[in-house]
Amino acid sequence: MSLRRETRAVHPPQPDITGSRPITMPIYQTSGFAFDDPAVFADALSRPDGAFAYGRYANPTVRALESAVADLEGGVAGIATGSGMGAVNCALLGLLGPGDHLVAQKSLYGGTAAMINELAERFGVSVTYVSGDDPDAFRAAVRSRTRVLYLETLSNPLNHVADLPGMCAAARELGVVSVVDNTYATPMLCRPIEHGADIVVHSTTKYMSGHTDVVGGLTVHADEELWRRVWRFSVELGATADPFASWLTLRGLQTLPLRMERHCANARHLATRLAAHPAVAEVHWPGLPGHPSYELAAKLLPDFGGVLAFDLAGGRAAGERFMKAVRLALLAPSLGGVETLVMHPATTSHRTLSAEELARHGIGEGTVRIAVGIEHPEDLWADLSQALTG
Ligand SMILES: Cc1ncc(COP(=O)(O)O)c(C=O)c1O
């Protein structure tokens, strides 16, 4: 067919790449796919493992990320979302309805805690909080309409470790779906599905992408039926991940094992030094023998994560002084990137919580969180110690 220039501009030829293949996953920057067969097109929109059709349903670059993380977590499949909260909401809203009951760990990331408050106040979901390491308390909390148990492997910001084997086994036995946020631990330190979890959620904004240049999230599923159910809901909710963000995250994943080793080693270095400093009242890092989760952490995890929190003896005023005085560490939100970041949870990540809720989470006015980066540990300690004494 001889086509005019206007038409050729819209339909340029595409290179044939048979005979070789790209080494890295290409970015499929397309919102849709064209079909030869209408029946294949119709089928593609009805399931997550059909042909690629429309970007909100599936995309090859996004699928590559979903498969990579599902593989690292030991799950059957994943669903990538536009943010970690997108993943948390796909799991919670996809599984819960009015009149249902949710059992959640007492100490959680502030955004998740705020969403659970919304579920209770506006969506008719009742909530009971239990300690993440108390299967008996969970069993006692379960009712006929309990649908979900929600845990964090390492809680944000105080690093309480969930007793995943005990809690997930109880959930299975009682027919409750267990959802575990594994953002802090990553599959390098813990694979909740191996301990009986049904769904793992991640903010891939953090360690997975690792370079403070992506916002993303992911659910990983132990079970295909729940994967299909949550996928259907994620398509309706429109929580879809973007191909470029997924590509950056895939690139970050390649160095996740190396970065996690350094994050954990640096956190150990700083936690030990902070614990011995007179200006510090308490350090919350589960690799330290005084931490309430120390024994459970030592049983469950090969290392203890790259985020630590500490309480300054001088309370809020000391916290504010410290955060103004750091030079190398940046006063910034988030965690899991190569740079060290500090923040004050009570006025930032957990700002929507009441004083009573902050107390339930164990967050004080003088609590400071450090997301430890991969810089040289002595440079980091030099910065923190000048800020503590300054
Ligand atoms: C443990 C945890 N889960 C979920 C989230 C939400 O992730 P995002 O900010 O990518 O939506 C965060 C964000 O800080 C987090 O720390």
Side-chain angles (χ1 to χ4, degrees):
M1 206 186 334
S2 129
L3 300 172
R4 289 167 183 78
R5 193 171 292 114
E6 289 80 354
T7 307
R8 296 204 312 272
V10 175
H11 298 277
Q14 296 189 358
D16 179 1
I17 58 161
T18 50
S20 66
R21 59 187 185 279
I23 291 172
T24 59
M25 184 68 200
I27 306 170
Y28 279 85
Q29 194 63 45
T30 181
S31 59
F33 293 78
F35 289 83
D36 297 323
D37 182 342
V40 178
F41 183 8
D43 174 67
L45 294 172
S46 65
R47 60 194 175 99
D49 43 0
F52 295 104
Y54 182 52
R56 179 155 52 79
Y57 289 61
N59 170 287
T61 314
V62 177
R63 176 61 48 78
L65 172 64
E66 292 167 339
S67 304
V69 178
D71 175 53
L72 294 177
E73 285 283 4
V76 294
I79 302 165
T81 55
S83 71
M85 283 313 297
V88 170
N89 281 321
C90 280
L92 290 179
L93 295 170
L95 297 171
L96 290 162
D100 284 343
H101 177 234
L102 161 72
V103 180
Q105 185 175 319
K106 269 183 199 155
S107 171
L108 291 170
Y109 164 61
T112 306
M115 184 58 206
I116 290 176
N117 284 345
E118 294 271 355
L119 284 174
E121 283 163 22
R122 298 206 296 129
F123 296 93
V125 172
S126 52
V127 185
T128 305
Y129 292 97
V130 297
S131 191
D133 59 0
D134 192 346
D136 290 338
F138 166 64
R139 280 174 199 280
V142 168
R143 309 174 191 164
S144 60
R145 293 285 301 268
T146 307
R147 302 278 180 251
V148 175
L149 166 67
Y150 192 92
L151 302 167
E152 290 179 358
T153 310
L154 284 163
S155 74
N156 181 344
L158 298 185
N159 282 311
H160 290 297
V161 178
D163 174 7
L164 295 180
M167 299 293 278
C168 295
R172 276 245 156 141
E173 201 186 302
L174 297 167
V176 175
V177 175
S178 54
V179 179
V180 180
D181 185 329
N182 200 32
T183 299
Y184 261 49
T186 84
M188 294 307 120
L189 302 186
C190 184
R191 289 160 301 284
I193 288 172
E194 289 177 1
H195 298 296
D198 295 303
I199 300 179
V200 175
V201 297
H202 275 285
S203 167
T204 54
T205 311
K206 312 296 188 312
Y207 292 109
M208 296 284 200
S209 56
H211 296 76
T212 327
D213 49 14
V214 172
V215 175
L218 223 136
T219 64
V220 179
H221 299 260
D223 168 87
E224 220 182 281
E225 191 267 319
L226 274 181
W227 169 55
R228 287 177 195 279
R229 191 167 140 199
V230 175
W231 174 79
R232 168 60 53 204
F233 181 73
S234 77
V235 165
E236 287 161 0
L237 191 66
T240 319
D242 160 74
F244 183 52
S246 301
W247 181 84
L248 283 170
T249 309
L250 271 170
R251 194 168 66 158
L253 270 185
Q254 292 178 306
T255 56
L256 177 68
L258 301 175
R259 287 185 286 106
M260 280 311 285
E261 271 181 28
R262 183 62 175 252
H263 284 296
C264 292
N266 278 0
R268 174 180 296 282
H269 187 83
L270 298 184
T272 311
R273 299 274 180 107
L274 284 166
H277 197 285
V280 175
E282 194 171 351
V283 179
H284 309 278
W285 190 68
L288 293 180
H291 189 279
S293 295
Y294 174 69
E295 277 163 23
L296 185 56
K299 249 195 324 198
L300 217 58
L301 311 172
D303 211 332
F304 305 98
V307 185
L308 57 90
F310 63 94
D311 298 328
L312 281 160
R316 188 183 187 115
E320 280 170 5
R321 262 198 318 275
F322 174 83
M323 278 176 292
K324 277 191 199 149
V326 285
R327 295 282 170 267
L328 180 61
L330 303 168
L331 177 57
S334 204
L335 60 105
V338 291
E339 312 87 352
T340 295
L341 309 178
V342 298
M343 70 184 295
H344 183 235
T347 54
T348 55
S349 60
H350 292 70
R351 70 192 175 286
T352 62
L353 304 190
S354 64
E356 192 189 38
E357 286 172 317
L358 282 175
R360 190 186 75 226
H361 286 247
I363 298 168
E365 296 273 358
T367 304
V368 172
R369 188 186 81 180
I370 306 186
V372 183
I374 63 168
E375 301 94 334
H376 194 287
E378 289 302 341
D379 289 337
L380 289 175
W381 177 244
D383 187 33
L384 299 194
S385 58
Q386 68 78 25
L388 284 170
T389 42

